[in-house]
Amino acid sequence: MRFDLRLPIGFLFSIFGAILVIYGFITPAEAYTQSLGINVNLYWGVVLCAFGGVMLGFALRARTR
Amino acid sequence: MKSSNDFFMSGRNIPAWISGLAFLSANLGAQEVMGMAASGAKYGMMTSHFYWVGAVPAMVFVGVFMMPFYYGSKARSVPEYLKLRYDEKTRTFNAFSFATMTVFSSGISMYAMAKLLNLLLGWNFDVALWASAAIVLAYIFLGGLTSAIYNEVMQFFLIVLGFAPLVFLGLRDVGGWSGLVSRLDLVATQSQNVAGEPYAAGAWVSAWNHMGTSGGNPMGVEWFGMVMGLGFVLSFGYWCTDFLVVQRAMVAENEQAARRVPLIAAVPKMLFPFLVILPGMIAIALTYKSGQTGFALPVKGNAYDYDMTIPLMLKHYFPTGLLGLGLTALMASFMSGMAGNVTAFNTVWTYDIYQSHIAKNKSDGHYLRMGRAATVFGIGLSIMTAYMAQHFNNIMDMLQLVFAFVNAPLFATFLLGMFWKRTTGHGAFAGLIGGTLAAALHHGLTMPVGAESLFKGGWIGPVMHTYPSEMAQNFWTAIWSWTTCFTVTILISLLTKRTKSDEELRGLVYSLTERHDEGHLPWYKRPIYLGAMILLAVTVLNLAFL
């Protein structure tokens, strides 16, 4: 069985995303003045999770075939 | 990883999308991320020429024309191709100059990473430099080319996903593209060219409009020097002959896949200017209004320290959390830059210098051990060049200087070798020496304005010409060196006898290589169609930012 690179990529970005989302929830709004008042941790965390999820999805689909 | 072939060539079984992304991120090291942002600040939108005139057309050329030779010849390295096509001495010369270049490239990455650790974590520069060297060493030791390639793909995503929010926040802060344009107009009218005249308002935001004269744009180069020097010689030279990137395509599963590798890579490459150049342009715009924005590039000597653009922008916009991701992406980019170069260095050293000249016919295990020893040696040399990089305020300037010495003449040797079967080994060898000497002469007799270090030129004594920027000097060094190599190779080839028969050159010269019929492939897998579409798209981009 061949090593599928999408698996570690998916895991890595899902974990990064999850950390950012959680961190985004617990930080006060003042922490985001430098990022123009946008809670970038939360939003970008969601994007990373979505990317990681898609990669994992592809890898798992290939595996079940 | 059991044999030296696994360590160096990954056993040729990597899927095309992986090698395509690795092809791209082998060059997505410090030079790309920090150097292009630095150039974006120093030279403005004209930096996009590195992509839209240089890299992308060159990658199409590699995929459509060059890859069949590389793949078909079964050469394990570019110097080995030169041996098959020409002779032993041409190969050895190239192996040495290529090894020098990889050492410089990885040294530049190491310098940038040490500088980053120094600035953001407050480490001592020397400690940071040696620590980064140790990490790369461990990383390459553990895996060889396969691990380098897999990691490069990971790093590709890290960099794209780590930097996209920076572009978004920066652009939002300056009021979108139109806000950036009006701020950069201010930058242009407040800066002066060598003659002391201010630039026209659009000089930082248009790619082509101000290239009529060298004094009209911040890069200090007129359109001919740019198209010929950067587009043709440096970029084609880099993408066609730099073994570091070609190696990524040669591990593809078959020739068709190998030809698609550069073409797959060209698509994201087209969009990179938005990711890496825009932050630089935003940074210089903010610096000119630092009273209101609270952001300013530091000063180094008599100019800005442009290399600091990316680390400072990250610090300025990213809150704790996302900053960690941004830093991870940067570290990843340095790792991929260094590891890629050191891997290429140990391959060329082991196969092309050690195995062919120093110790022939040893066991496979012997060469594998040698590859590892070469890794340590290569990293040691990189540390030395990292200290040399301290003399430049833009690592891209230094990198293109190295390319002008190594890749520019080599590109002439390759072009002639692949398309003119009459080219002889003596011709190629003399041409390479002549081209490299021409580069040295040009570099030694000219200087960029305001240079205070001999690394930047003028070391022969009398200065014949002063260029408005380091980049302009690099472009012309490349033009001189390519032209000299091209002419000398033709002359000597005509004067010497061919030593290789048509039969020996089969698969190595275009006219003597049978072409595979690709008519059965669907259109989206045929290199020629893919290439044409990419060229069309890149033309549209050039016109959009005229």
Side-chain angles (χ1 to χ4, degrees):
Chain A
M1 158 99 219
R2 200 150 143 183
F3 166 68
D4 190 340
L5 187 58
R6 287 170 294 193
L7 217 53
I9 293 178
F11 272 119
L12 185 77
F13 283 97
S14 305
I15 294 169
F16 278 169
I19 295 174
L20 282 184
V21 169
I22 295 168
Y23 196 76
F25 270 119
I26 58 170
T27 37
E30 300 87 73
Y32 298 103
T33 44
Q34 68 182 125
S35 55
L36 319 175
I38 306 167
N39 189 336
V40 278
N41 284 340
L42 179 62
Y43 297 127
W44 202 248
V46 172
V47 174
L48 293 186
C49 280
F51 175 76
V54 169
M55 280 287 167
L56 281 180
F58 275 126
L60 293 177
R61 205 185 59 170
R63 187 168 271 223
T64 49
R65 273 212 190 135
Chain B
M1 196 183 55
K2 285 151 222 88
S3 69
S4 66
N5 192 47
D6 285 345
F7 187 73
F8 293 117
M9 292 293 287
S10 297
R12 279 203 169 167
N13 61 359
I14 292 191
W17 72 273
I18 294 188
S19 37
L21 291 179
F23 187 83
L24 197 58
S25 55
N27 134 294
L28 196 68
Q31 58 259 48
E32 192 92 355
V33 180
M34 259 166 100
M36 284 300 171
S39 303
K42 192 173 179 180
Y43 305 126
M45 197 62 206
M46 288 176 73
T47 311
S48 68
H49 293 315
F50 278 93
Y51 296 81
W52 299 340
V53 174
V56 172
M59 288 160 91
V60 170
F61 183 77
V62 175
V64 174
F65 293 105
M66 307 283 269
M67 204 44 80
F69 304 109
Y70 277 133
Y71 202 87
S73 66
K74 298 274 177 242
R76 285 171 301 187
S77 67
V78 169
E80 193 169 337
Y81 172 84
L82 288 176
K83 182 195 167 180
L84 295 171
R85 172 63 185 85
Y86 295 119
D87 52 20
E88 191 59 48
K89 61 180 183 300
T90 310
R91 174 229 210 154
T92 308
F93 183 86
N94 173 247
F96 275 104
S97 62
F98 178 76
T100 314
M101 187 181 76
T102 54
V103 161
F104 268 95
S105 299
S106 72
I108 290 171
S109 297
M110 218 175 262
Y111 158 78
M113 180 155 160
K115 210 164 169 182
L116 179 79
L117 294 173
N118 171 257
L119 183 90
L120 295 180
L121 303 179
W123 293 13
N124 173 291
F125 179 82
D126 300 292
V127 174
L129 187 63
W130 288 84
S132 11
I135 301 171
V136 185
L137 184 67
Y139 171 100
I140 300 172
F141 252 34
L142 296 173
L145 185 58
T146 311
S147 75
I149 287 182
Y150 283 153
N151 277 295
E152 275 161 13
V153 176
M154 287 259 205
Q155 285 153 7
F156 170 79
F157 289 115
L158 253 180
I159 286 164
V160 172
L161 292 168
F163 282 81
L166 182 65
V167 178
F168 172 78
L169 290 173
L171 266 186
R172 201 183 152 102
D173 194 22
V174 295
W177 175 251
S178 59
L180 181 62
V181 169
S182 66
R183 281 171 189 246
L184 285 173
D185 285 350
L186 189 79
V187 172
T189 47
Q190 287 184 4
S191 323
Q192 291 171 345
N193 64 14
V194 242
E197 302 150 349
Y199 293 105
W204 251 264
V205 289
S206 56
W208 288 95
N209 275 336
H210 302 278
M211 296 231 299
T213 57
S214 62
N217 60 74
M219 206 179 263
V221 65
E222 71 306 327
W223 67 270
F224 177 79
M226 195 285 295
V227 173
M228 179 77 187
L230 172 65
F232 182 64
V233 178
L234 282 171
S235 298
F236 275 67
Y238 175 79
W239 291 96
C240 297
T241 65
D242 189 334
F243 174 53
L244 169 64
V245 289
V246 174
Q247 190 184 33
R248 266 79 193 150
M250 294 201 321
V251 298
E253 43 202 356
N254 56 44
E255 187 189 307
Q256 276 80 25
R259 292 182 73 188
R260 279 197 301 274
V261 166
L263 298 170
I264 292 172
V267 177
K269 188 77 182 172
M270 251 187 292
L271 304 174
F272 272 13
F274 300 112
L275 195 69
V276 295
I277 300 176
L278 271 182
M281 293 167 63
I282 295 167
I284 195 76
L286 294 177
T287 301
Y288 271 72
K289 275 205 170 174
S290 62
Q292 296 161 33
T293 58
F295 178 93
L297 287 172
V299 172
K300 177 174 177 178
N302 50 14
Y304 290 114
D305 190 1
Y306 298 102
D307 284 339
M308 293 282 76
T309 303
I310 281 290
L312 286 176
M313 286 285 279
L314 287 180
K315 219 174 161 183
H316 186 69
Y317 284 120
F318 280 12
T320 315
L322 201 56
L323 183 62
L325 183 70
L327 287 184
T328 312
L330 264 184
M331 298 287 188
S333 107
F334 296 133
M335 284 299 160
S336 98
M338 284 183 273
N341 277 294
V342 177
T343 312
F345 174 85
N346 70 28
T347 310
V348 163
W349 165 262
T350 309
Y351 281 137
D352 297 298
I353 299 174
Y354 186 74
Q355 188 176 15
S356 34
H357 294 286
I358 301 171
K360 289 181 182 138
N361 307 321
K362 290 279 162 76
S363 72
D364 200 51
H366 180 89
Y367 293 121
L368 186 59
R369 275 196 303 282
M370 194 51 196
R372 296 212 157 127
T375 304
V376 180
F377 183 62
I379 288 179
L381 289 174
S382 307
I383 294 177
M384 283 163 50
T385 56
Y387 282 103
M388 212 184 276
Q390 283 186 304
H391 294 275
F392 286 77
N393 67 13
N394 177 356
I395 46 177
M396 208 62 207
D397 290 338
M398 178 171 170
L399 202 68
Q400 296 299 329
L401 173 63
V402 179
F403 290 164
F405 270 79
V406 177
N407 289 344
L410 182 62
F411 179 50
T413 311
F414 259 87
L415 269 188
L416 287 169
M418 286 186 164
F419 295 102
W420 193 42
K421 64 180 181 181
R422 182 70 185 76
T423 322
T424 65
H426 291 309
F429 184 68
L432 276 178
I433 293 197
T436 311
L437 282 179
L441 263 179
H442 182 265
H443 183 249
L445 290 173
T446 61
M447 256 179 148
V449 70
E452 68 287 335
S453 151
L454 289 184
F455 289 122
K456 293 193 176 182
W459 42 269
I460 291 180
V463 175
M464 316 270 283
H465 186 77
T466 304
Y467 285 101
S469 75
E470 283 89 345
M471 211 51 101
Q473 183 197 26
N474 292 338
F475 293 170
W476 284 101
T477 305
I479 293 175
W480 279 99
S481 121
W482 184 86
T483 314
T484 309
C485 178
F486 194 75
T487 327
V488 172
T489 307
I490 292 180
L491 283 178
I492 304 291
S493 290
L494 289 174
L495 295 174
T496 48
K497 258 209 194 71
R498 270 180 71 179
T499 48
K500 301 236 174 188
S501 64
D502 277 8
E503 195 46 47
E504 286 174 294
L505 294 182
R506 192 168 298 277
L508 300 169
V509 177
Y510 196 77
S511 58
L512 300 174
T513 303
E514 65 214 83
R515 288 188 257 311
H516 293 284
D517 179 25
E518 290 181 328
H520 63 281
L521 288 173
W523 63 270
Y524 58 86
K525 283 193 168 179
R526 294 182 63 179
I528 191 86
Y529 290 130
L530 288 175
M533 280 189 306
I534 293 166
L535 288 183
L536 185 70
V538 92
T539 311
V540 172
L541 280 172
N542 269 305
L543 292 174
F545 291 89
L546 207 61

